[in-house]
């Protein structure tokens, strides 16, 4: 039975159909929830929809390589551990992978027990450091662990929903987030999509963050959504 009683979700991005079939079985058997994608674009979408606890990325993927994907996750502020899979074993490849933001590296072919051991170790490590990464956009900082938000050194009190909304905007800094994306992530569909709850909360956040300041952080992108800008 499972020795990993947890709610950890593992994303597997792999274009080899055999591995894409077998890895989820192995991981599910070890107690993890598993999401899969067969190319880099789809892998990114899976993460934007629902960030996993850990991602296993093949290096050679259609549309976006595992390296590009890892770099994109880090650029968007995601901190979950990344385990790279590759057939290539040169030191250069390993260095590129680690440079791109991978936390560990496993050369194919590998033993499934070895894969599980790495996954477990990475998740343990990330639990210890979870939330210790303070997010920053200009003079705004948000600490997911302490839930402390500051702008220009001034502490800003936020309600839980305001905090969740701001955290989501900051994780996607410099990228547009649409109202449906916000509804899904912050309200988990627990709202009527026709209401203007998102706009209302954006207004609340602006009042607390941007009012009386010269450089607003939250921008409306007409007809598309919102963006917090570096
Ligand atoms: Ca491949």
């Amino acid at each position: 039975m499972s020795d990993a009683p947890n709610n950890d979700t593992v994303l597997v991005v792999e274009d080899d159909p055999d591995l894409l079939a077998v890895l989820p079985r192995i991981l599910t058997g070890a107690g993890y929830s598993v999401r899969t994608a067969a190319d880099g674009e789809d892998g990114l979408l899976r993460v934007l929809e629902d960030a996993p606890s850990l991602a296993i990325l093949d290096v050679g993927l259609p549309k976006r390589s595992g390296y590009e994907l890892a770099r994109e996750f880090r650029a968007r502020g995601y901190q979950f551990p990344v385990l790279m899979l590759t057939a290539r074993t040169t030191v250069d490849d390993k260095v590129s992978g680690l440079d791109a933001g991978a936390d560990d590296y496993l050369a194919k072919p590998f033993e499934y027990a070895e894969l599980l051991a790495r996954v477990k170790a990475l998740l343990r490590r990330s639990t210890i450091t979870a939330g210790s990464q303070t997010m920053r956009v200009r003079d705004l900082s948000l600490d997911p662990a302490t839930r402390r938000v500051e702008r220009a050194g001034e502490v800003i009190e936020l309600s839980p929903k305001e905090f969740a909304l701001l955290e989501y905007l900051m994780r996607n800094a410099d990228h547009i987030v649409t109202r449906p994306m916000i509804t899904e992530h912050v309200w988990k569909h627990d709202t009527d999509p026709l209401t203007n709850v998102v706009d209302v909360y954006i207004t609340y956040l602006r009042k607390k963050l941007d009012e009386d300041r010269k450089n607003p952080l939250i921008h409306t992108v007409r007809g598309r959504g919102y963006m917090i800008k570096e």
Side-chain angles (χ1 to χ4, degrees):
M1 257 312 285
S2 158
D3 61 349
N6 56 58
N7 305 309
D8 288 323
T9 304
V10 176
L11 171 69
V12 178
V13 191
E14 170 61 80
D15 61 323
D16 175 334
D18 292 337
L19 274 177
L20 194 57
V22 76
L23 289 183
R25 277 209 299 276
I26 305 281
L27 290 160
T28 307
Y32 301 107
S33 304
V34 181
R35 306 268 181 280
T36 58
D39 65 59
E41 286 293 334
D42 204 30
L44 179 58
L45 282 179
R46 288 285 91 76
V47 165
L48 294 177
E49 277 165 13
D50 197 6
S53 317
L54 176 144
I56 299 175
L57 306 180
D58 184 29
V59 168
L61 288 170
K63 297 186 185 171
R64 274 174 195 236
S65 74
Y67 296 147
E68 288 170 336
L69 209 47
R71 212 170 280 125
E72 179 81 35
F73 295 158
R74 296 308 182 231
R76 287 172 179 255
Y78 291 105
Q79 301 293 335
F80 54 79
V82 169
L83 174 60
M84 281 290 190
L85 302 181
T86 183
R88 303 172 228 174
T89 53
T90 70
V91 172
D92 274 355
D93 279 329
K94 182 161 181 172
V95 169
S96 317
L98 296 174
D99 275 354
D103 297 273
D104 202 358
Y105 204 88
L106 196 55
K108 292 177 184 174
F110 49 82
E111 301 283 337
Y112 298 137
E114 175 67 15
L115 176 94
L116 284 179
R118 302 281 187 102
V119 165
K120 215 170 153 182
L122 286 170
L123 283 171
R124 198 180 317 121
R125 224 194 293 160
S126 92
T127 309
I128 293 165
T129 57
S132 62
Q133 294 283 349
T134 299
M135 290 185 273
R136 290 176 205 287
V137 177
R138 294 212 310 250
D139 60 355
L140 175 69
S141 69
L142 178 149
D143 182 339
T146 62
R147 303 182 74 82
R148 188 182 174 95
V149 176
E150 289 182 18
R151 180 146 194 214
E154 182 189 323
V155 176
I156 294 167
E157 302 289 345
L158 298 179
S159 73
K161 277 288 181 254
E162 291 166 352
F163 181 89
L165 174 58
L166 181 62
E167 184 177 14
Y168 186 60
L169 286 168
M170 288 181 80
R171 285 202 188 280
N172 293 284
D174 291 327
H175 295 273
I176 297 166
V177 292
T178 64
R179 287 178 185 81
M181 283 164 74
I182 294 172
T183 309
E184 181 173 335
H185 279 265
V186 180
W187 277 270
K188 313 282 181 203
H189 297 299
D190 187 23
T191 177
D192 182 339
L194 297 178
T195 67
N196 63 346
V197 65
V198 171
D199 306 81
V200 169
Y201 272 82
I202 288 280
T203 307
Y204 292 159
L205 267 189
R206 279 186 164 140
K207 256 198 165 56
K208 294 187 176 180
L209 296 177
D210 284 343
E211 205 169 63
D212 305 328
R213 293 184 199 268
K214 275 195 220 94
N215 310 305
L217 288 160
I218 301 173
H219 300 263
T220 304
V221 186
R222 279 188 63 174
R224 299 191 61 192
Y226 296 101
M227 171 158 69
I228 203 156
K229 258 205 225 163
E230 188 62 66

